[in-house]
Amino acid sequence: MTDHTDPQRRTMLRNTVAAAAVLGSAHAAGAATAPPALDKPLKPTLTAFESQAGPKPLAFDPAKLNGLSEKIIRSHWENNYGGSVKALAVIKKRLSEALADKDLPPYVYNDLKREHLLRTGSVVLHEHYFDNLGGNGQAGAPERKVIADAFGSFDTWETEFRRIAAGLGGGSGWVVLGYNTYTRQLENYWLADHAHGPAATLPLLVLDMYEHSYQMDFGAAAAKYIDAFFKNIQWEAVASRLASLSRA
């Protein structure tokens, strides 16, 4: 049961309710509604060619997940996600150097930009994936309402999310519950890889369906991995992402 006496949790619930109101208002207004003007200039944390210092630490104890082994989580975090963080740093350094080379053909530069796109997608999606693990899999009432309002019912959303994931079993890709800031819709998305995602979409819940996410624990039984994922969803992370919409 959710402990509604916890102050941090109460604040998160209020923010999620506020996000629900924002999503509802946006849906009613339609896609043609102009976005609000920025009240202050954006301040990127890093400049264009800089990279983060290293992999983002796990926010949970990987030995305490329900049905997902510590071994697979650590391997996934260190090798697949960590490898992309390191590769992205290398690519950004090479891009900075290559830009200064006036004789470098544009198509050669674009080979680096393609890798930049792939590695950026991998880092962002992996960080969302790991951040929405470590919970008890029980969505709170505000999160359920936001999703139910968008899909007709919470069960309809879960059925589609699971079906997309099952269709990716044995291959590669991602499943993302996201809010599209242009169409102003909450939808589930199928992603074939790190590079091809829906435009103008903020990820709210991310599931990695690359085989490295589950093969060590489940072999080819992707359905068992999907079940385990749902048991470990950190819905507080989803609520926090929803709340960020209301702040935006």
Side-chain angles (χ1 to χ4, degrees), residues 157-177:
W157 162 75
E158 183 174 332
T159 296
E160 188 192 37
F161 194 96
R162 284 177 174 270
R163 184 169 295 177
I164 298 168
L168 287 167
S172 61
W174 303 82
V175 189
V176 173
L177 168 65

Side-chain angles (χ1 to χ4, degrees), residues 1-196:
M1 296 291 292
T2 302
D3 182 9
H4 295 285
T5 64
D6 180 77
Q8 184 176 2
R9 177 62 178 168
R10 286 203 305 272
T11 299
M12 189 172 294
L13 288 172
R14 286 197 297 270
N15 289 339
T16 307
V17 171
V22 169
L23 291 175
S25 299
H27 179 72
T33 303
L38 291 174
D39 58 358
K40 57 184 178 181
L42 294 174
K43 289 186 177 181
T45 305
L46 300 171
T47 60
F49 295 100
E50 288 183 306
S51 298
Q52 62 191 68
K56 185 178 181 180
L58 293 171
F60 58 89
D61 184 347
K64 295 182 178 180
L65 295 186
N66 183 3
L68 293 171
S69 70
E70 179 180 8
K71 182 178 180 181
I72 197 168
I73 293 296
R74 291 202 180 278
S75 175
H76 191 177
W77 182 85
E78 292 173 4
N79 297 307
N80 303 102
Y81 161 60
S84 283
V85 172
K86 293 175 183 177
L88 181 58
V90 171
I91 291 299
K92 286 197 168 192
K93 183 174 183 296
R94 292 289 179 88
L95 281 168
S96 180
E97 295 168 349
L99 190 60
D101 184 355
K102 297 180 180 180
D103 296 324
L104 186 72
Y107 60 83
V108 175
Y109 190 82
N110 276 357
D111 281 341
L112 290 171
K113 289 303 293 184
R114 176 183 177 277
E115 193 66 25
H116 173 224
L117 177 65
L118 286 167
R119 297 298 180 173
T120 299
S122 179
V123 169
V124 171
L125 290 170
H126 272 109
E127 290 187 358
H128 277 76
Y129 169 73
F130 286 118
D131 282 351
N132 59 219
L133 283 178
N136 63 8
Q138 300 299 312
E143 300 96 87
R144 293 180 70 91
K145 184 182 186 311
V146 170
I147 292 173
D149 286 348
F151 287 84
S153 73
F154 187 85
D155 288 344
T156 298
W157 162 75
E158 183 174 332
T159 296
E160 188 192 37
F161 194 96
R162 284 177 174 270
R163 184 169 295 177
I164 298 168
L168 287 167
S172 61
W174 303 82
V175 189
V176 173
L177 168 65
Y179 179 69
N180 190 296
T181 61
Y182 183 80
T183 66
R184 301 187 179 226
Q185 289 176 289
L186 196 64
E187 297 181 293
N188 288 323
Y189 295 96
W190 168 94
L191 280 65
D193 56 29
H194 312 312
H196 299 92

